[in-house]
Amino acid sequence: MMEQPPSLAQGYRLNEPAVITDQIDGEWVIMNLANGAYYGLDAVASCLWQSLLSGETPLVAGRVIAAHFEVPEERVAADIATFLAQLLDEGLLIAGSALPELVARGENRVPAAPYATPCITRYADMTRLLALDPPLPA
């Protein structure tokens, strides 16, 4: 776990080439080839993920989400800090500017559902399969 909360004022980018992501039928698919895990995002997390990949800072993305859902910015900022820490701990994002080819990918729609804390679900059932080729680090 990270010692300090991540900065909401800086940009983050995909941890390539270890992490690949794409939007399929409106849902984000994220795979960490370094550890063999893949991830699912809920609606708010998907919106946030796209915003981060598009080059927005978590602070700006949080303001948009807070305004859309009419939720206090402080609550959304705290939720985003926790979510961002998970993304960094899992090695999915690293600090830095978004890569230009990712900026235009996917659709970024704020979900119509009520606000919920952004949630990422980790699945590790493919770890053994991915360990076969290429080998995962020991």
Side-chain angles (χ1 to χ4, degrees), residues 35-72:
N35 66 13
Y38 64 101
Y39 304 84
L41 302 173
D42 69 3
V44 175
S46 293
C47 179
L48 183 55
W49 178 255
Q50 174 63 38
S51 296
L52 297 174
L53 292 184
S54 297
E56 285 186 5
T57 65
L59 187 62
V60 170
R63 287 181 182 150
V64 170
I65 290 170
H68 174 79
F69 290 105
E70 298 179 357
V71 175

Side-chain angles (χ1 to χ4, degrees), residues 33-35 127 131 134-138:
L33 300 174
N35 66 13
T127 303
L136 290 172

